[in-house]
């Protein structure tokens, strides 16, 4: 009986040990499987974190930002992401680190979204400013074209005005025709003029012309000056000098005519003066306000 009882006890102990070993093995296997699954999960999470950080860096590198302030902000954020990415790659990941990096990644996503939104806003504003600048440039170009057109028109008007003024001045000029000059021997008591072509017998010059009608001229007295030059260009019968600004005229005779906008026949006698005449040509010119109206030449033999 004692032997049987011991055998039973041995069997009971062995059975208990087997059960314990089985249970312990099951628990160990379960724990190993759980640890393995957790490790795979952590590695996947680490890979996802690295991938997302890399994508964020790439997105920054593809941005073309004109603003210096925004470019500085993006560069600082990019540097921060690079530091975190290097840490993730170098350190052996665990649940705690993954949670930490996930939290940092969440903040970076938020910061990234803000920066990208700011970039979009600035790009939109920049586009709008470019459009406004283009419109202003077009308006300026149109204004310049308009001003240039006005200048051209104004220049044309000025030129036309000058032409009109010049034509008017020409129209207002005094004109004469039918100029005739002869040497005079004497004038009889009956006012008959005796002409001569002999220089020794010539005592006067008889000059006649027609003052042409001009409706643009004012009515009134006109001073007409006569100048007689001998063949040596000496003034015959010098009566004095009349000045017209920077020019002057030595004249031989003066006649005042009452002009009434009609053709007027004018004749005058010019005394030869105390000097003796000589054989040759004599040049007779008629002036008004310093301008030569016409002239003729006679020859005394």
């Amino acid at each position: 009986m004692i032997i049987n009882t011991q055998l039973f006890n041995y069997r009971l102990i062995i059975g208990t040990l087997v059960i314990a070993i089985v249970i312990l093995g099951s628990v160990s296997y379960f724990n190993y499987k759980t640890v393995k699954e957790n490790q795979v999960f952590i590695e996947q999470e680490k890979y996802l974190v690295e991938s997302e950080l890399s994508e964020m860096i790439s997105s920054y590198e593809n941005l073309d930002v004109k603003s210096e302030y925004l470019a500085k902000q993006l560069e600082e954020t990019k540097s921060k992401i690079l530091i975190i990415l290097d840490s993730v790659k170098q350190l052996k990941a665990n649940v705690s680190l993954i949670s930490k990096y996930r939290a940092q990644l969440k903040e970076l996503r938020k910061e990234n979204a803000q920066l990208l939104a700011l970039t979009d806003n600035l790009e939109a504003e920049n586009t709008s400013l470019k459009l406004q600048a283009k419109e202003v440039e077009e308006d300026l170009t149109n204004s310049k074209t308009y001003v240039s057109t006005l200048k051209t028109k104004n220049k044309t008007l000025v030129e036309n005005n000058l032409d009109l003024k010049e034509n008017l001045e020409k129209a207002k000029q005094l004109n004469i025709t039918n100029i005739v000059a002869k040497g005079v021997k004497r004038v009889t008591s009956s006012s008959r003029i005796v002409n001569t072509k002999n220089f020794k017998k010539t005592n006067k010059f008889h000059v006649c012309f027609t003052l042409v009608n001009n409706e643009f001229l004012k009515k009134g007295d006109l001073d007409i000056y006569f100048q007689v030059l001998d063949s040596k260009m000496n003034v015959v019968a010098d009566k004095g000098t009349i000045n017209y600004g920077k020019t002057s005229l030595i004249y031989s005779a003066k006649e005042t005519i009452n002009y009434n906008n009609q053709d007027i026949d004018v004749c005058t006698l010019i005394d030869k003066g105390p000097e003796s005449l000589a054989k040759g040509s004599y040049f007779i010119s008629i002036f008004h306000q310093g301008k030569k109206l016409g002239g003729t030449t006679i020859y005394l033999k």
Side-chain angles (χ1 to χ4, degrees):
M1 281 298 288
I2 294 173
I3 294 173
N4 290 334
T5 302
Q6 289 179 344
L7 181 62
F8 174 77
N9 287 336
Y10 287 143
R11 289 178 178 176
L12 180 62
I13 291 170
I14 291 170
T16 301
L17 289 173
V18 170
I19 293 170
I21 290 171
V22 170
I23 293 172
L24 182 60
S26 298
V27 171
S28 297
Y29 175 76
F30 178 77
N31 288 337
Y32 171 79
K33 184 178 180 181
T34 302
V35 170
K36 193 68 176 177
E37 289 176 352
N38 287 339
Q39 188 64 34
V40 171
F41 172 76
I42 290 171
E43 290 296 329
Q44 289 177 344
E45 286 294 303
K46 178 183 176 183
Y47 175 76
L48 291 175
V49 170
E50 289 179 3
S51 298
E52 191 163 351
L53 289 172
S54 298
E55 288 177 4
M56 291 176 67
I57 293 172
S58 297
S59 66
Y60 285 172
E61 290 176 347
N62 294 328
L63 289 177
D64 183 17
V65 181
K66 300 294 187 293
S67 170
E68 291 184 4
Y69 170 77
L70 187 56
K72 184 178 179 181
Q73 292 291 105
L74 289 172
E75 191 62 32
E76 289 177 356
T77 304
K78 180 181 174 182
S79 298
K80 192 186 300 183
I81 296 172
L82 283 170
I83 292 172
I84 296 173
L85 180 60
D86 288 341
S87 299
V88 173
K89 287 181 176 180
Q90 293 176 8
L91 297 177
K92 186 175 181 179
N94 55 48
V95 175
S96 177
L97 285 176
I98 290 298
S99 298
K100 175 184 175 182
Y101 291 140
R102 277 292 183 187
Q104 291 180 344
L105 187 59
K106 182 178 179 182
E107 290 298 322
L108 287 173
R109 283 200 202 99
K110 184 178 179 182
E111 187 175 342
N112 183 53
Q114 292 174 346
L115 286 174
L116 292 178
L118 182 58
T119 302
D120 291 339
N121 291 336
L122 288 175
E123 288 298 323
E125 290 179 5
N126 188 43
T127 302
S128 177
L129 288 174
K130 285 182 179 178
L131 291 174
Q132 293 177 16
K134 184 178 180 181
E135 291 176 357
V136 170
E137 184 178 358
E138 289 176 352
D139 291 340
L140 182 60
T141 301
N142 292 335
S143 298
K144 287 181 178 179
T145 303
Y146 180 68
V147 170
S148 178
T149 302
L150 287 180
K151 285 183 178 179
T152 301
K153 289 183 178 179
N154 184 60
K155 183 180 179 181
T156 302
L157 288 174
V158 170
E159 291 175 351
N160 291 339
N161 186 49
L162 290 174
D163 291 340
L164 288 173
K165 188 176 180 180
E166 184 179 351
N167 291 334
L168 183 60
E169 289 298 322
K170 289 180 179 179
K172 291 169 64 176
Q173 289 181 2
L174 200 61
N175 294 309
I176 61 174
T177 59
N178 305 324
I179 305 171
V180 178
K182 294 180 179 180
V184 177
K185 180 179 181 181
R186 70 179 186 276
V187 179
T188 65
S189 57
S190 61
S191 300
R192 185 173 66 85
I193 296 174
V194 179
N195 298 321
T196 182
K197 293 183 179 180
N198 190 298
F199 74 93
K200 292 182 179 180
K201 297 179 180 180
T202 300
N203 297 302
K204 299 177 185 295
F205 294 95
H206 186 213
V207 182
C208 294
F209 61 89
T210 300
L211 194 58
V212 180
N213 168 38
N214 190 339
E215 60 183 356
F216 294 102
L217 286 174
K218 292 182 180 180
K219 294 181 180 180
D221 291 340
L222 300 175
D223 290 332
I224 304 297
Y225 291 89
F226 300 84
Q227 184 188 68
V228 181
L229 299 176
D230 62 17
S231 57
K232 295 181 180 180
M233 297 295 111
N234 296 315
V235 178
V236 177
D238 184 350
K239 294 296 192 299
T241 303
I242 183 74
N243 295 312
Y244 298 99
K246 295 181 179 180
T247 62
S248 61
L249 173 69
I250 301 174
Y251 64 96
S252 304
K254 174 185 174 182
E255 191 79 31
T256 300
I257 302 168
N258 187 280
Y259 183 71
N260 57 6
N261 295 114
Q262 295 179 351
D263 288 350
I264 301 176
D265 292 327
V266 180
C267 287
T268 189
L269 287 170
I270 303 173
D271 194 89
K272 73 176 185 64
E275 300 294 332
S276 298
L277 299 179
K279 180 182 177 180
S281 298
Y282 288 83
F283 308 96
I284 301 167
S285 301
I286 303 168
F287 295 87
H288 172 65
Q289 293 183 344
K291 295 180 180 179
K292 184 177 179 180
L293 303 180
T296 188
T297 303
I298 64 171
Y299 183 80
L300 298 179
K301 58 184 180 181

